[in-house]
């Protein structure tokens, strides 16, 4: 009996070792294939762009309230050092709660820019890159930014076309064509990367930049759900590679993966959004040195942002 038990234990150990070896080999295979797709995505994009990344100073730190705040800057400058930010957002991640939130700051918001006086907030990027924009946001809204990510709009187009060959379904609320490079007709339709970019950049109507910010947040919510669907997840390594040449960031890939794992595992991948300035807290004015601006109640907007992150 002892001999039989001993033999049984030996066979059991051998089975576990084989199973462990198989799992290790599978894991190595998945990693190798994912890396291959990632590099293929990078190569694909490098063949289409000659953009050279600029090295930026950024002295960010973690927010005292526990949120990791990432400054997101949309740009179509192709590496120019002195272009204004077209889109300014802050992505918020709370590690303890596994929560994600998004704040859009309208580019015409009239604020104090350290060392340059009053101007539109998007001018801070032109004057001093992401670091001056970080300082401007900290001084005006009392929020710390730990990371930055500058996304070239061409990368957005490439990402959409690679991930969704049939396009993204969007309800276009009106005819759009002015200064977006495409013409969009109203109605529910699937948009490719170029047309979707036009949709989120359109601002030449009665609601102007307010409508643009609303559409940007709407599309980001759609993309968050679509990019984490079962049919898209296998494409993620290549998609990261495709978009990488178009992104300038101080975030390490491991940091991005760590923050993204909670989002991928959540059943409800919706997230709350905020727009600065909030309703009733601003006036449209025209000033001689900056043109049409949004003069805001700074105290009210600072309080609204803090309340948004406390919820």
């Amino acid at each position: 009996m002892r001999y039989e038990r001993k033999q049984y234990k030996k066979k059991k150990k051998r089975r576990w070792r084989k199973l462990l070896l198989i799992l290790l080999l599978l894991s190595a295979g998945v990693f190798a294939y994912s890396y291959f797709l990632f590099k293929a995505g990078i190569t694909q994009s490098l063949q289409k762009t000659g953009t050279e990344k600029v090295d930026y100073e950024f002295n960010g730190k973690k927010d005292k309230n526990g949120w990791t705040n990432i400054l997101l800057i949309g740009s179509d400058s192709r590496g120019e050092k002195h272009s204004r930010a077209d889109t300014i957002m802050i992505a918020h991640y709370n590690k303890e709660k596994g929560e994600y939130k998004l704040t859009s700051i309208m580019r015409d918001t009239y604020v104090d820019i350290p060392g340059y006086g009053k101007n539109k907030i998007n001018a801070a990027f032109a004057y001093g890159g992401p670091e001056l924009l970080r300082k401007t946001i900290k001084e005006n809204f009392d929020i710390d930014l730990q990371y930055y990510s500058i996304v070239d709009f061409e990368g957005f187009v490439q990402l959409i076309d690679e991930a969704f060959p049939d396009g993204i379904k969007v309800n276009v609320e009106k005819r759009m064509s002015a200064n977006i490079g495409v013409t969009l007709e109203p109605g529910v339709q699937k948009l490719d990367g170029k047309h979707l970019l036009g949709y989120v950049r359109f601002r030449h109507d009665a609601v102007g930049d307010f409508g643009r910010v609303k559409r940007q947040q709407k599309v980001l919510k759609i993309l968050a759900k679509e990019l984490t669907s079962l049919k898209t997840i296998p494409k993620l390594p290549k998609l990261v590679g495709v978009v990488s040449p178009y992104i300038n960031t101080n975030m390490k890939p491991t940091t991005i993966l760590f923050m993204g794992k909670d989002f991928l595992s959540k059943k409800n991948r919706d997230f709350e959004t905020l727009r600065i300035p909030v309703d009733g807290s601003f006036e449209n004015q025209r000033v001689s040195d900056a043109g049409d601006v949004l003069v805001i109640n700074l105290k009210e907007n600072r309080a609204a942002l803090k309340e948004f992150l406390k919820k």
Side-chain angles (χ1 to χ4, degrees):
M1 288 290 288
R2 287 183 180 178
Y3 177 77
E4 290 178 354
R5 286 178 185 172
K6 194 172 182 180
Q7 289 297 106
Y8 174 75
K9 287 181 179 179
K10 284 183 178 180
K11 288 180 180 179
K12 194 173 181 180
K13 283 183 178 179
R14 283 197 293 268
R15 281 199 299 268
W16 276 110
R17 286 173 182 167
K18 286 182 181 179
L19 181 60
L20 180 61
L21 180 60
I22 290 171
L23 289 174
L24 288 172
L25 289 173
L26 284 174
S27 298
V30 169
F31 176 81
Y33 184 63
S34 297
Y35 183 74
F36 169 78
L37 291 177
F38 171 72
K39 296 296 289 185
I42 290 178
T43 301
Q44 178 178 310
S45 288
L46 288 177
Q47 291 173 347
K48 299 178 181 179
T49 178
T51 302
E52 293 184 8
K53 291 186 178 179
V54 179
D55 291 327
Y56 289 108
E57 173 191 6
F58 197 78
N59 301 313
K61 62 180 181 179
K62 193 166 185 177
D63 182 65
K64 57 182 178 291
N65 296 313
W67 287 87
T68 298
N69 300 311
I70 306 160
L71 175 60
L72 304 178
I73 303 167
S75 170
D76 60 354
S77 66
R78 294 288 181 173
E80 296 171 16
K81 287 187 176 182
H82 303 294
S83 63
R84 294 195 176 200
D86 189 85
T87 298
I88 301 171
M89 294 180 172
I90 303 173
H92 313 276
Y93 170 65
N94 188 313
K95 177 184 175 183
E96 300 301 321
K97 297 181 180 179
E99 289 183 352
Y100 301 82
K101 295 184 179 183
L102 182 72
T103 298
S104 296
I105 302 178
M106 297 184 68
R107 63 184 187 177
D108 292 339
T109 303
Y110 200 51
V111 295
D112 278 310
I113 299 177
Y116 292 88
K118 300 276 284 188
N119 209 324
K120 295 179 180 181
I121 193 169
N122 69 340
F125 182 66
Y127 294 152
E131 171 61 10
L132 183 57
L133 185 52
R134 179 195 69 80
K135 288 181 179 178
T136 301
I137 292 172
K138 172 63 177 176
E139 180 175 300
N140 288 273
F141 302 106
D142 192 29
I143 181 172
D144 286 305
L145 304 168
Q146 189 171 4
Y147 302 107
Y148 76 88
S149 185
I150 305 170
V151 182
D152 189 294
F153 286 136
E154 181 59 28
F156 177 85
V157 173
Q158 297 298 328
L159 174 67
I160 299 303
D161 288 345
E162 181 67 33
F164 312 103
D166 297 325
I168 289 289
K169 185 183 288 187
V170 176
N171 184 10
V172 180
E173 59 270 23
K174 64 184 74 176
R175 191 176 190 275
M176 304 175 185
S177 61
N179 296 334
I180 58 174
V182 295
T183 297
L184 300 173
E185 300 296 341
V188 177
Q189 55 201 282
K190 286 191 172 183
L191 302 179
D192 63 10
K194 185 177 180 180
H195 287 79
L196 190 62
L197 178 63
Y199 177 72
V200 299
R201 295 193 69 189
F202 179 75
R203 65 195 294 258
H204 294 275
D205 60 3
V207 291
D209 212 29
F210 290 91
R212 189 179 75 109
V213 168
K214 185 176 181 180
R215 284 189 290 275
Q216 287 176 348
Q217 293 184 343
K218 166 187 167 182
V219 167
L220 283 177
K221 286 189 174 187
I222 294 172
L223 291 179
K225 291 180 180 179
E226 292 293 333
L227 285 170
T228 52
S229 66
L230 289 176
K231 64 180 180 180
T232 309
I233 285 178
K235 298 180 181 179
L236 287 179
K238 185 175 183 181
L239 296 179
V240 173
V242 166
V243 79
S244 289
Y246 299 97
I247 294 179
N248 188 321
T249 182
N250 65 335
M251 297 180 69
K252 296 179 180 179
T254 51
T255 303
I256 297 172
L257 289 172
F258 177 79
M259 288 193 288
K261 67 178 177 60
D262 286 334
F263 194 77
L264 288 173
S265 64
K266 288 174 67 176
K267 291 182 179 179
N268 179 12
R269 297 188 175 99
D270 200 4
F271 51 85
E272 294 183 71
T273 59
L274 177 72
R275 187 205 68 217
I276 298 291
V278 297
D279 290 338
S281 71
F282 63 91
E283 292 181 358
N284 291 287
Q285 291 187 19
R286 186 170 184 82
V287 296
S288 59
D289 59 341
D292 295 323
V293 300
L294 299 173
V295 177
I296 69 171
N297 182 320
L298 196 57
K299 184 178 179 181
E300 186 175 343
N301 280 280
R302 188 181 294 172
L305 180 55
K306 287 188 176 180
E307 182 63 29
F308 175 64
L309 295 178
K310 283 181 181 178
K311 289 192 297 181

